[in-house]
Amino acid sequence: MTRYRMGGILAMGLANAERRRRMGLYRQGDIVLREVSQVPEDAHPCPGGILAYGERTGHSHRIDGDGQVWRQDTRLYLELEQPSRIVHEEHETLTLPRGLYEVVGQREYVSPEEDRLVFD
Amino acid sequence: MNTSTRGACFSGVFTVAKNHGAPDMRMRDEIPASRSRRPIACVTARTDWRHRATVAADLFYGPLRYRPRVGPERQGSRRVVWAVHVVFAMLVFVGLLLCLVGLMAHEAFVRNRKTDVSDAETVTAGRVALVNDHCFTIPIDLPQGPTCLPLHFERDPRGRLRFTHSQGAARIVHQDDTGVLVHVSGRWAPFTYLAFVYVIDPSTGRPSLLRVPPGMERARQAVAWTFGMAEEAWTPSRET
C-alpha cells in the first residue's frame, strides 16, 4: 500500500516537472516569455510587434518575423504560428518555438501596494 | 569541658549548648576568673542570639570546613569564600540580564523582518544608479528629506560580492548563480532594512540592483519575484 502511494506521489512529481519543462520559460534581459495554454478571450490585438519599449533609451524588445501581440489590460501575450526571433538593441537574439506566450516584465518593489516595471 | 573557650568546634558547641546552654563568646583572658570557673553563669540573654547564629553557621558551612572562631587566618579564608559567592552571583545576574536584552533585540528584529509595513512606512527607495564598477547609489526618501546612499562593493577572487564601505550597513544575505540578496540598513530607522537583489544581465553583463520586498531569504527567490513567479517555478530554458 505504502509502496503504491509512494509510487503515485513520485509519478505526480515527475509529471509536474515534465509539465514545467514543457511550459517553456525564456528570458531576454528584463522581460520573460512564459508559455501559456491559451490567450484570454477578452484580449485584443496590438499592431507593431513590440513587446516592451524603453522611453528613455528608445530600445525595445520586438518580434522579427510573423507573430501577433495580444493585450488584456496590462498583460501582454504573444502568439507565434512558427518559430520566430525576439530582437533587442543590446541583448542577444532569442529564438522561440511556435506557441502562445505571456510577456512578463521585470518589476521592482516600491511598497506593499505598489510595484513598478524596471524596463527603461 | 571548658565552656568559655572561643575556639570551640561544631561538636563542642553543640555539647555545650546541650549541657550548659550558650557559651560565653569572650576570650578566656577577658572573662573574670570567678566566672570562668562557673560556666553555667555564662548563659545570658545578651549572648543567646550569638550562640544561635553560631550553630546555624556551623550547620550551613560545616561542609566548607567553616571555622568561625579559630583565628585571623581563618577569618581571611571566610572572606574569600564570601567574595567568590558574591562574584558568582553577580556574574549570573549579568549573564541573565544580557540574555534578556539579546532576546528582546532578536524578537524585535524578527518581528520587523516578518512584516514589511514598518519598512514601507519609514523609507522609500528610488531607482538605483550605478556610479561605477564598484559603487551603487540608492536614492532614499526620508521623512526628513531625500538623501542618497552609496554602496561600495568589490568581488573577491572567487567571484563573490563583498561590500567594502558604505554609509549604511549593507549585509549580503545570500548569493547563488542567479544573483546576490542584499539587506541595507541605516540610522534612518533602527531594526528596518531595504532588500535588494544584485543581478548581472546574462547577455550584456550589465549589473543592476533591484529592490525586492523584505522577507526574501534567497537570491533565486528574489529574482523569481521580480518576474512575478515563485522560486520553484523559476527555471528559464534560455536567458539572453
Side-chain angles (χ1 to χ4, degrees), chain A residues 67-86:
Chain A
Q68 177 62 55
V69 181
W70 300 84
R71 176 180 290 277
Q72 184 213 24
D73 294 334
T74 57
R75 292 176 174 233
L76 272 184
Y77 295 89
L78 173 63
E79 182 180 3
L80 296 178
E81 296 290 343
Q82 56 188 2
S84 299
R85 301 191 313 157
I86 308 296

Side-chain angles (χ1 to χ4, degrees), chain B residues 95-110:
Chain B
L96 286 174
L97 205 63
L98 287 176
C99 286
L100 188 66
V101 170
L103 200 64
M104 289 170 64
H106 180 260
E107 283 293 320
F109 176 75
V110 168

Side-chain angles (χ1 to χ4, degrees), chain B residues 6 25-32:
Chain B
R6 289 198 66 164
M25 306 303 282
R26 289 177 291 181
M27 296 293 291
R28 179 196 290 269
D29 52 358
E30 296 173 4
I31 301 173

Side-chain angles (χ1 to χ4, degrees), chain B:
Chain B
M1 180 176 292
N2 188 351
T3 57
S4 58
T5 304
R6 289 198 66 164
C9 64
F10 172 76
S11 58
V13 171
F14 191 76
T15 306
V16 167
K18 188 170 64 177
N19 292 339
H20 306 291
D24 196 322
M25 306 303 282
R26 289 177 291 181
M27 296 293 291
R28 179 196 290 269
D29 52 358
E30 296 173 4
I31 301 173
S34 58
R35 289 193 65 180
S36 70
R37 287 192 292 273
R38 290 187 292 111
I40 292 175
C42 295
V43 181
T44 61
R46 183 176 63 83
T47 58
D48 189 40
W49 66 273
R50 300 181 72 176
H51 161 65
R52 289 180 183 176
T54 305
V55 171
D58 281 343
L59 283 173
F60 278 103
Y61 289 95
L64 295 177
R65 297 289 180 191
Y66 178 76
R67 295 290 184 270
R69 287 167 276 136
V70 293
E73 68 281 356
R74 287 290 187 180
Q75 297 285 330
S77 68
R78 186 180 64 172
R79 289 195 195 97
V80 170
V81 170
W82 272 106
V84 168
H85 284 170
V86 169
V87 169
F88 181 73
M90 288 174 65
L91 284 176
V92 169
F93 179 73
V94 170
L96 286 174
L97 205 63
L98 287 176
C99 286
L100 188 66
V101 170
L103 200 64
M104 289 170 64
H106 180 260
E107 283 293 320
F109 176 75
V110 168
R111 191 166 54 247
N112 276 283
R113 188 176 58 179
K114 295 295 181 190
T115 62
D116 50 6
V117 175
S118 60
D119 171 64
E121 287 178 350
T122 51
V123 187
T124 304
R127 181 66 63 87
V128 178
L130 180 66
V131 177
N132 53 41
D133 291 344
H134 303 286
C135 184
F136 280 108
T137 55
I138 304 174
I140 296 174
D141 297 326
L142 300 177
Q144 301 86 358
T147 184
C148 206
L149 180 71
L151 292 177
H152 298 266
F153 65 92
E154 65 179 17
R155 285 194 171 272
D156 64 7
R158 294 170 56 198
R160 299 175 75 85
L161 199 72
R162 189 172 70 86
F163 285 95
T164 52
H165 61 278
S166 302
Q167 267 186 8
R171 186 169 69 93
I172 293 174
V173 180
H174 182 251
Q175 54 183 319
D176 55 20
D177 57 335
T178 58
V180 184
L181 183 62
V182 180
H183 284 180
V184 180
S185 58
R187 284 174 293 178
W188 58 77
F191 297 120
T192 64
Y193 61 89
L194 305 172
F196 294 90
V197 61
Y198 173 88
V199 290
I200 293 179
D201 191 280
S203 58
T204 63
R206 191 172 57 194
S208 56
L209 201 62
L210 304 173
R211 194 180 176 202
V212 294
M216 297 279 166
E217 296 177 349
R218 289 169 297 280
R220 177 175 291 273
Q221 181 188 13
V223 172
W225 180 89
T226 62
F227 288 106
M229 302 175 70
E231 181 184 5
E232 56 271 14
W234 180 246
T235 54
S237 308
R238 193 174 170 212
E239 293 183 84
T240 64

Side-chain angles (χ1 to χ4, degrees), chain A residues 70-114:
Chain A
W70 300 84
R71 176 180 290 277
Q72 184 213 24
D73 294 334
T74 57
R75 292 176 174 233
L76 272 184
Y77 295 89
L78 173 63
E79 182 180 3
L80 296 178
E81 296 290 343
Q82 56 188 2
S84 299
R85 301 191 313 157
I86 308 296
V87 294
H88 187 267
E89 284 79 357
E90 288 184 332
H91 300 286
E92 290 179 10
T93 301
L94 179 68
T95 304
L96 292 179
R98 67 181 295 269
L100 295 172
Y101 299 91
E102 180 185 2
V103 183
V104 182
Q106 197 166 25
R107 59 177 176 166
E108 191 177 26
Y109 176 85
V110 178
S111 70
E113 298 83 22
E114 186 186 353

